[in-house]
Amino acid sequence: MILRTLCVFGGVAAAAAAAALQGLPPVKWTAGNSSTTATFSIADADAPKTIYILNSFVDNVDTEGLTLIPPTALEFAETFLRDISQLFGSNWTLEKVDEFPASGIFLGKFRGDAGTLTYENGVATEEGYELEITGRSVYIGGTGSRGMFWGTRTLLQELLIANGTALATGRTLDAPAYATRGYMLDAGRKWYSKEFLKDFCTYASFFKLSEFHYHSSDNYPLNRGHNETWNKVFSHFSLYPENPDIQGIVIRKNETLSRADFEDFQKHCAQRGVTVIPEIEAPGHCLSITKWKPELALAKKDLLNLTHPDSIPTVKAIWAEFLPWFQTKEVHIGADEYDDTLADVYISFVNEMADFVNSTSGKKIRIWGTHEPSENLTISKDIIIQHWQYGQSDPVLLQKEGYQQINSEDWWAYMSLKNDHMPINPAPYAQFFNNTRQMNFANVPGWQWNPALVNPVNVTEQLEPGASTNKGATLAAWSDSGPDATTQLEAYYAMRDGIPVVAAHAWGGARGLNLTASTLSSSLALLTAKAPGQNLDRRFGHTFEESTLVSWTSDASDSINTTLGKGSYGPPYTLTLNATAPFTLTGPDTSLSIETVATNTSDVTTLVFTTSDGFPYPLRSTAESDGHDPGHPGRIWWNVTSSTHDPVPIAFPALVRIETDVRNGSRVWVDGVYKGRFEVFVFGGRNTLFSWSQMALVAPLDGVAGGIESLTLEAGVRGSGGIGGANETSPPPPPPPSNAAARSSAGAWLSTVVAAITAALVLAS
């Protein structure tokens, strides 16, 4: 056996280009003494490689954040030590001292008046810091432990921009404009493992996001899909209760987090300055409850009948089980998209739950903004409203009435992973986070968003910057197309570039530096690829890799099973296989094998990617020019006749080339001829539009078995622009069908594809 791995270290950028890059969030620097040319460097052999933290600060614990398990300053320093060692070498040490020596990186308390570092509303914050660079040392002083930690993020980013070389002397005083700088992940329609959640938290914290909103329960929309019996529609509750009386809420135990898992997840996030905000949905989106107790459902079966005597006690019993798990001062009870003709019972329920949660645990609750047209009752002012759409709530009115609120206005904040809501109005939601709406709010060129900006239509109706009732903002990624429409890693790909930009704007607010549009893509490319402590991009050694990465050739001494030991590699990549017989490649995220797939007319032996959560994706026939709709990346609409989507038969010997990038997915050439891609069938809109979408699957490189003579992995692809890049040479697809045309033809067309996707849908339900 011959196994060759090449990891090529490329330069980050030329010095002139690097100087133009920004940290995310960007920082205002006051230059050092202009009479000296001294710089601070960690690149020289004799450069200081020790981090010192003052004994007087090591046990400092913040009290004003939302987490109930705040780390000490020393614990944050230990995280910093691991990160700087990973990025710049492993010979760093951390020492506790009473006084600082002459050189090194120094961690301690903010040396000025802590009251001068405030949120935009003027309230002092433990998240502020000073960072001073001299010729021999760096000092990071926090108004709290989190502030010190955020200062270490700034230092690491500045070192990355400088390619680990000299930093000019200077000083910055920095603090976030808003306390809530969050992102939400829908884990109620798609399972996400604990390790993925922890890595995602690590990634977000590098850009100073402060909250991970974990949407733990939900169901597939009842008006989409095969219109199965309501109790067969996919639903999920992602936490596994210890109380056997509550366990009926869980359908798939293997796709849940135990209490120990959830504690580990929360602790990991807290160690990086991020608080997990758990959400359990009710009284809407409740199939996980109504499947368990059907008698509690309204006619629309995912709505609880709040007048049933057992409904509210059931919801309280669920919360009583999980409140002791939740290490946060605020939790989210969902409470959106209920029947507005039942406004009074809805409002009574929300207020009763606020009292119950507070009396039981001392916590406050959040709800999604929801239209509740009652003449008699109002939502308690103790409840935090997460605004997501006009017509559901009005942020300016909420401010006038004294409600605390969070800005998740769907125009800028919402994503529907892999497929938008076409043709649901008022908005199709972005498949990949839409940074254009961050950089050009309300479609006004150069008007950069911040959490005070809520109305993209009437631009005069915004919140005041730093308004006392505005807690901040949270972007939201929804798994509306169901559990098989994305992989776990595809959720990260879709949010990867949005998280740093939202984080920068939520940190800076109206007072902060704007992002430089001309260098934003370069800043994102550098910093997202180098975010320490995780490897969601699935790279070898966190390097900029070029050319051939893995080259393996079988020889006579190889057994039927060979260990490659390379794990997974993520897009963009090209994987070439010289196959003489059926084979299997295995990895921690996916496997790739030759399998027999049943179709309407015959059985076909083809390539099949299978993800770690059990969803198979056969190679299907598509036209090479299909799927490049810039408005709907990767979608092939149902009326595009050049793609049959039939499974592609594979005959041996075969030279198989798989090219994968995020927007085009995993596409296949056999003996130099384009054959198709791995994809998923998606029900669009309210069963009025249908499409197939690409799957961007990572290369499995742990083990090989069967008839592979040789294997080559290369970074990048030949036919597209790589991560986030679309194939610019492909002609545009036909426009999507009109709603009327779709409605008249969809039923007949669906009967030809149902058999091909039944297996995946059975797994999903």
Side-chain angles (χ1 to χ4, degrees), residues 12 95 133 197 219 300 361 414 459 499 538 661 664 712:
V12 175
E95 294 185 20
I133 301 171
L197 297 172
N219 52 266
K300 188 174 184 296
S361 66
Y414 267 34
V459 297
I499 279 175
R538 298 299 192 257
D661 70 82
N664 294 310
T712 303

Side-chain angles (χ1 to χ4, degrees), residues 77 245 370 456 560 648 673 728:
D245 294 338
T370 304
I560 190 170
V648 177
V673 178
E728 298 298 328

Side-chain angles (χ1 to χ4, degrees), residues 12-22 161-163 165 519 522:
V12 175
L21 300 186
Q22 287 181 300
I161 290 170
N163 201 15
T165 59
T519 60
S522 297

